[in-house]
Amino acid sequence: MSERVFPSSKSAANGTAANPTAAPANPAAPPNKSHLYNPTARPPYRPQSYNRRRTRSGRSICCCCFFWSLLILLVLILLAAIAGAAFYIMYHPHRPVFSIPSLRIHRLNLTTSADSVSSHLSTLLNLTIISKNPNSHMTFFYDSFTIASFSNDVFLGNGTLPAHSLSKKNETSFRNVVISGSNDLDAESVNTLRSDLKKKSGAVTLKIQLDTKVKVKMGGLKTKKVGIRVTCEGIKGAAPKGKSPTVAVTTSSKCNVDLRIKIWKWTF
């Protein structure tokens, strides 16, 4: 009679049956993934980058500064234009007027040494200058004038004119203003001047240039001194052949007045 084998009660109590043919548990099996995602869990803190925000804020500040600077500049230009228009309507300013009604050439001698190495120019001019103030609300205060004469950019001589003032709608005349010079010329200047003297008419083209500073008074307002240059062109005269001076032709002469503004080392 065969024996019957009963399972152990202890194994049954533990809820597992001893199965010698069952495969052992795999220790490398992946764990249950249900615990990897928890919708109620708080995400970990990660520091944020502020570079993009700083770039945007810097650009917006630059744009605002540029906009306000441009707006202020436009406002200042508008105010200056309004002030200039009001000033012109109120005072209707005009530039001072200069003229040279007469000019006499007493000496215009060009001599060359025997070896033709050096040339010397000696000049003596006598002229009359008239200064006018066409304004009815302004008074001009002139410093002393520095006068220079040229013939086709060849320097002839210089002179001076005293300081003076011109009241409203007034003029003054300066007679016997002397311009003289004694200079050594280079070869190019000699050729230019000699070609004019050898013409049939013997007339040379003269240019008179006056430089000074002027201050303007308008009622109770006085401006600072501003440099001006008066350039008179269109004068023609011949060198005297004897002791008597020659009279230059000044009917076609015209004098232009320009501002001379000095900025650092440059004068405009």
Side-chain angles (χ1 to χ4, degrees):
M1 198 173 174
S2 60
E3 293 182 0
R4 303 178 69 178
V5 179
F6 295 94
S8 173
S9 60
K10 186 176 181 179
S11 301
N14 292 336
T16 58
N19 189 2
T21 62
N26 188 6
N32 191 2
K33 295 184 178 181
S34 61
H35 70 280
L36 295 180
Y37 174 74
N38 188 358
T40 60
R42 186 175 181 179
Y45 172 77
R46 294 180 180 178
Q48 298 180 0
S49 176
Y50 292 92
N51 292 334
R52 184 174 299 178
R53 292 184 181 180
R54 290 178 181 177
T55 304
R56 291 181 180 177
S57 61
R59 289 179 181 176
S60 61
I61 291 174
C62 292
C63 292
C64 290
C65 292
F66 175 77
F67 172 75
W68 285 109
S69 300
L70 182 61
L71 182 62
I72 292 173
L73 180 62
L74 293 177
V75 171
L76 292 177
I77 293 175
L78 179 61
L79 293 176
I82 294 174
F87 173 81
Y88 183 82
I89 294 173
M90 184 179 298
Y91 294 103
H92 200 66
H94 295 280
R95 294 186 180 187
V97 178
F98 292 84
S99 61
I100 299 178
S102 66
L103 187 148
R104 295 177 182 271
I105 302 176
H106 291 265
R107 185 171 61 248
L108 185 58
N109 297 332
L110 178 62
T111 57
T112 306
S113 61
D115 54 0
S116 301
V117 175
S118 61
S119 297
H120 188 79
L121 177 65
S122 178
T123 58
L124 180 60
L125 309 178
N126 189 300
L127 62 153
T128 299
I129 300 176
I130 296 177
S131 175
K132 296 181 180 180
N133 180 8
N135 297 280
S136 54
H137 300 283
M138 296 182 182
T139 301
F140 294 121
F141 298 90
Y142 296 103
D143 287 352
S144 58
F145 288 75
T146 301
I147 309 175
S149 60
F150 301 88
S151 176
N152 292 329
D153 294 332
V154 178
F155 178 74
L156 302 181
N158 53 20
T160 57
L161 198 68
H164 63 281
S165 62
L166 274 180
S167 58
K168 308 167 187 177
K169 291 289 185 178
N170 200 357
E171 70 176 51
T172 183
S173 176
F174 298 92
R175 301 181 183 275
N176 299 322
V177 179
V178 177
I179 297 177
S180 61
S182 180
N183 312 305
D184 292 328
L185 302 181
D186 54 20
E188 184 179 357
S189 300
V190 170
N191 295 332
T192 301
L193 188 58
R194 184 171 290 169
S195 62
D196 291 338
L197 294 174
K198 287 183 177 180
K199 293 179 180 178
K200 292 182 179 181
S201 60
V204 294
T205 302
L206 301 176
K207 180 175 72 173
I208 308 299
Q209 185 173 285
L210 301 89
D211 290 298
T212 188
K213 289 185 177 181
V214 61
K215 181 170 62 177
V216 183
K217 180 181 178 182
M218 299 167 291
L221 177 64
K222 286 185 179 181
T223 65
K224 293 185 177 180
K225 292 181 180 180
V226 180
I228 63 171
R229 168 169 289 180
V230 183
T231 305
C232 300
E233 296 179 309
I235 305 172
K236 292 185 178 181
K241 295 181 179 180
K243 293 183 179 181
S244 300
T246 58
V247 179
V249 180
T250 61
T251 53
S252 300
S253 64
K254 184 179 180 181
C255 297
N256 297 319
V257 180
D258 300 312
L259 290 176
R260 299 283 290 173
I261 301 174
K262 187 174 182 180
I263 301 176
W264 197 25
K265 297 181 180 179
W266 296 276
T267 303
F268 303 91

